[in-house]
Amino acid sequence: MNTIKYRIEATRPEAHLFTVSLTVDSPDPQGQAFSLPVWIPGSYLIREFAKNIVSIRAHSAGRDVTLNKVDKNRWEAAAVQGALTLEYTVYAFDLSVRHAYLDDQRGFFNGTSVFLAVEGQSHLPCDVEIAPPKGAQFADWRVATSLQTAGAPAYGFGHYSAADYDELIDHPVELGAFTLLQFEACGVPHDFVLAGRFRHLDEARLLHDCKAICETQIRMFGEPAPFDRYVFMTVVTPDGYGGLEHRASTALVVTRDDLPRLGETTQKDGYRKYLGLISHEYFHSWNVKRIKPAAFAPYAHDRESLTRLLWVFEGITSYYDDLLLLRAGVIHTDSYLELLGQTISGVISQPGRLVQTLAESSFDTWIKYYRQDENSPNSGISYYTKGALAGLCLDLHIRNETHGKHSLDDVMLALWQRYGRDFHEGAKRGQGIGEDEFESIAEDVTGLNLRTFFDLAVRSTQDLPLQSLLASAGIDWQQRAPSHGGDKGKWLDSIPVAPAWLGWRTSQDAAGAKVSHVLEGSPAQAAGISAGDLIIAVDGLRVTHTSLEGHVSQFKAGDTVTLAGFRRDELRTWLVTLADAPHTLVALKQSDRAKENADSVWPAV
Ligand code: ZN
């Protein structure tokens, strides 16, 4: 069978340039078209990767072939007899998990950034030769990827293969002198690759926790795992965070201080967050990479793939990411309830929850969630956080209505069995689930009529029945106003008086406090303050971003305060009548009754 041959070389690390060649043995006799995806699956924003193609040419049998650019991301080569080769350079200097990166320390690429698709031949198998940069200083570079080897030694440069183009672009590649750790989960080899600078990593702790998370998830869906091996790729940065899921690997960005250090005995919040990210991306191996919406089967690489179901694929994944940390035994119930309380508080404090439904948030993510602006808190709600809470409510509702016979696990397992497990990538194009099918399968599996539940949770902006459902699960609820800006919502024995409130968010600016967001219905909005305004004085006293909260805390609800500042270069004053801070913080704890009766209590089961 014909094979599409790619070769990628880190030719000029100092200029952040990869050189790629692509050979098609049997190009379209009418002239061959090539294209690059405009987005990367898992990150729902048009990113126009073709902007980083710096130069490109085509040749055949030693002669140049005319290559026309016919769209922002498409090229057409003139008709030739015999094999056709493209050669192009790609600029790679984006540290995120969604693009490509190359310097003298490391390289990373997603296929969506570097591999052009051969139109009409994207079903063909691909051979990829990954070549090292030239020079003695790169002698210790290795390769980490979940691509199948086609002759390359383990972690070495050389040839790799993919069954088709979709598979080719779903295995990112890390290059460099990285740290490689290994473990097995349910007998499946897992690599844990860390790039970037860090010291005194507690490797044993990281591997122990990862293994527990992976085994818990594999067992939830049932062995065998849906991959022969799995690769975690982490780049360590001063302040980054993020992840992107792939079918047998994930690319992660972590903040250096969040890694577990030797000698640390407690679990810092940052490490817990990192474990949550690991759990989230790994869960996607089932939920979105194999159980997927019909709109993603296959992905449309040249335009938005629209679905109202992202709350299922991101929200329910977000529900399970922390819950599975608890089930895996890497966090305790109190820690889980603290995380859940933070998620609830985040949703409740967002006025946009009263404007946008989960279905709308999913569908519009391309133009709204992924394009946050100063009005986003007022106009939308995250299908991650509210979707996680809808997953929680669905789980508890099913448990209550079936008297513990069923749970959301049964729904996920049924989805896996019907739409995931038999999904043979490459050989047979898998079917995705239709826009109504998540709900109908949930009804089938549980025997419940869930229409009213889904109408409320997914297609309305009414608040979810969290408090009553959590009470039924033995969880007590405390709702109060934040007592200060950094209040994370711990359970308090006595609730302080709500502080005076403006209803804005501000950030540091050299000259004062910059207003970044003004919340719908807030005193700041009523007074005419806008995002972008620079606040320099409160009641005649100069303020900075740091001192602002202290100045405002001198006042009580009902007080009228004069603020001074600038809109663009125009000096302004605003008279603001302060209000009581709304009760947007929720803290949770197990009820005493539930603690005594621990074996029957969600969320441990
Ligand atoms: Zn996700």
Side-chain angles (χ1 to χ4, degrees):
M1 198 203 269
N2 269 332
T3 301
I4 309 295
K5 295 179 198 68
Y6 294 87
R7 182 179 189 280
I8 180 164
E9 181 176 343
T11 32
R12 296 188 58 205
E14 76 288 357
H16 319 295
L17 290 174
F18 286 105
T19 299
V20 184
S21 73
L22 189 183
T23 299
V24 192
D25 290 336
S26 306
D28 185 336
Q30 310 296 314
Q32 180 62 54
F34 301 89
S35 58
L36 196 65
V38 300
W39 64 285
I40 181 165
S43 185
Y44 307 105
L45 178 67
I46 299 298
R47 295 186 190 275
E48 314 292 20
F49 299 119
K51 78 190 269 282
N52 289 319
I53 296 201
V54 177
S55 61
I56 184 166
R57 61 184 277 266
H59 57 89
S60 177
R63 286 204 199 127
D64 281 348
V65 172
T66 304
L67 188 68
N68 283 320
K69 185 126 196 231
V70 292
D71 204 342
K72 61 183 182 178
N73 64 323
R74 292 182 75 235
W75 294 258
E76 277 176 15
V80 294
Q81 302 280 328
L84 172 69
T85 297
L86 285 191
E87 278 186 24
Y88 52 96
T89 52
V90 182
Y91 179 72
F93 200 51
D94 183 303
L95 207 50
S96 85
V97 294
R98 311 173 197 109
H99 293 255
Y101 184 88
L102 180 63
D103 70 5
D104 57 358
Q105 298 293 309
R106 65 181 279 266
F108 172 82
F109 60 84
N110 286 290
T112 39
S113 283
V114 297
F115 296 135
L116 293 184
V118 181
E119 292 192 2
Q121 303 196 28
S122 55
H123 60 288
L124 291 180
C126 305
D127 178 274
V128 189
E129 184 189 354
I130 303 174
K134 293 185 175 67
Q137 73 267 43
F138 304 111
D140 58 353
W141 278 32
R142 296 191 284 176
V143 177
T145 178
S146 51
L147 276 169
Q148 292 277 346
T149 178
Y155 313 107
F157 289 90
H159 288 265
Y160 292 83
S161 69
D164 59 19
Y165 181 75
D166 270 17
E167 184 181 324
L168 175 69
I169 60 172
D170 203 14
H171 294 282
V173 176
E174 173 75 28
L175 309 171
F178 45 74
T179 297
L180 172 65
L181 312 175
Q182 294 166 307
F183 67 97
E184 283 198 353
C186 297
V188 177
H190 286 59
D191 291 333
F192 206 104
V193 171
L194 294 120
R197 291 202 203 178
F198 54 91
R199 278 181 192 279
H200 305 305
L201 171 67
D202 190 340
E203 297 178 0
R205 183 177 184 183
L206 180 60
L207 292 192
H208 168 273
D209 290 347
C210 261
K211 179 185 171 82
I213 293 165
C214 296
E215 293 197 330
T216 302
Q217 297 199 11
I218 293 170
R219 290 185 183 129
M220 173 177 163
F221 287 100
E223 294 185 59
F227 32 72
D228 299 332
R229 59 185 280 263
Y230 190 91
V231 184
F232 289 99
M233 306 171 175
T234 287
V235 57
V236 182
T237 66
D239 51 11
Y241 172 81
L244 192 59
E245 68 275 10
H246 300 281
R247 65 185 70 186
S249 62
T250 180
L252 308 169
V253 177
V254 68
T255 298
R256 183 175 299 117
D257 290 343
D258 292 348
L259 290 172
R261 284 213 185 85
L262 285 169
E264 281 175 357
T265 50
T266 56
Q267 187 177 65
K268 36 187 192 192
D269 288 356
Y271 180 47
R272 182 176 64 176
K273 185 174 163 194
Y274 182 42
L275 291 176
L277 180 66
I278 286 168
S279 179
H280 181 98
E281 304 305 346
Y282 198 73
F283 195 83
H284 275 316
S285 305
W286 291 269
N287 196 33
V288 94
K289 293 315 301 188
R290 289 174 177 84
I291 308 164
K292 53 173 67 179
F296 294 177
Y299 295 107
H301 296 302
D302 61 342
R303 62 185 183 280
E304 295 86 345
S305 290
L306 303 169
T307 172
R308 290 181 171 78
L309 289 177
L310 281 182
W311 77 271
V312 170
F313 293 97
E314 290 299 348
I316 289 183
T317 298
S318 298
Y319 170 52
Y320 275 106
D321 60 23
D322 290 338
L323 185 61
L324 288 164
L325 297 185
L326 178 69
R327 288 193 193 162
V330 301
I331 63 171
H332 298 296
T333 302
D334 290 350
S335 181
Y336 174 72
L337 292 177
E338 181 181 61
L339 290 168
L340 183 56
Q342 288 170 4
T343 304
I344 295 171
S345 304
V347 170
I348 290 179
S349 60
Q350 187 98 338
R353 80 187 192 284
L354 303 172
V355 176
Q356 191 185 43
T357 69
L358 275 181
E360 291 164 347
S361 174
S362 300
F363 195 80
D364 275 340
T365 185
W366 302 83
I367 56 168
K368 293 199 173 183
Y369 184 78
Y370 267 93
R371 293 188 188 178
Q372 298 281 319
D373 62 27
E374 71 284 352
N375 199 43
S376 294
N378 295 329
S379 62
I381 191 68
S382 160
Y383 51 83
Y384 284 87
T385 51
K386 189 182 173 186
L389 299 181
L392 163 76
C393 288
L394 179 60
D395 194 8
L396 293 177
H397 181 72
I398 292 171
R399 286 167 189 265
N400 287 347
E401 296 299 312
T402 63
H403 305 287
K405 192 164 155 244
H406 290 296
S407 72
L408 185 57
D409 288 13
D410 299 321
V411 178
M412 298 312 294
L413 196 57
L415 284 167
W416 173 238
Q417 286 164 349
R418 291 184 207 185
Y419 290 95
R421 198 173 58 183
D422 299 327
F423 180 95
H424 301 299
E425 288 143 330
K428 178 162 76 72
R429 184 51 53 211
Q431 253 191 308
I433 66 171
E435 293 287 288
D436 301 325
E437 270 179 297
F438 176 78
E439 295 179 26
S440 59
I441 288 170
E443 291 191 328
D444 281 0
V445 168
T446 60
L448 299 173
N449 182 336
L450 295 168
R451 179 78 197 190
T452 310
F453 175 88
F454 286 122
D455 280 347
L456 179 124
V458 181
R459 286 178 289 278
S460 92
T461 56
Q462 287 181 63
D463 282 329
L464 295 163
L466 284 159
Q467 190 173 356
S468 58
L469 283 169
L470 286 166
S472 73
I475 308 295
D476 288 344
W477 171 289
Q478 182 182 75
Q479 190 164 348
R480 60 180 174 84
S483 53
H484 54 88
D487 192 343
K488 286 192 174 169
K490 297 258 189 227
W491 189 282
L492 299 181
D493 291 329
S494 68
I495 294 182
V497 177
W501 180 73
L502 276 131
W504 63 14
R505 295 174 193 167
T506 59
S507 63
Q508 183 81 42
D509 185 279
K514 192 96 167 178
V515 179
S516 58
H517 302 84
V518 176
L519 299 182
E520 175 63 29
S522 65
Q525 188 187 55
I529 295 168
S530 290
D533 290 346
L534 177 69
I535 307 299
I536 58 169
V538 173
D539 209 32
L541 296 174
R542 184 175 168 182
V543 292
T544 63
H545 173 62
T546 319
S547 69
L548 182 63
E549 187 179 331
H551 279 271
V552 173
S553 71
Q554 315 280 321
F555 297 94
K556 291 192 166 49
D559 288 351
T560 296
V561 183
T562 305
L563 304 185
F566 290 96
R567 177 166 302 168
R568 298 178 293 274
D569 64 349
E570 299 168 12
L571 184 61
R572 296 273 192 114
T573 55
W574 297 275
L575 279 178
V576 189
T577 303
L578 300 171
D580 276 329
H583 290 206
T584 53
L585 267 193
V586 169
L588 304 172
K589 71 175 174 69
Q590 274 191 297
S591 68
D592 295 337
R593 181 181 53 77
K595 271 189 185 153
E596 285 163 21
N597 203 2
D599 56 349
S600 64
V601 173
W602 177 92
V605 290

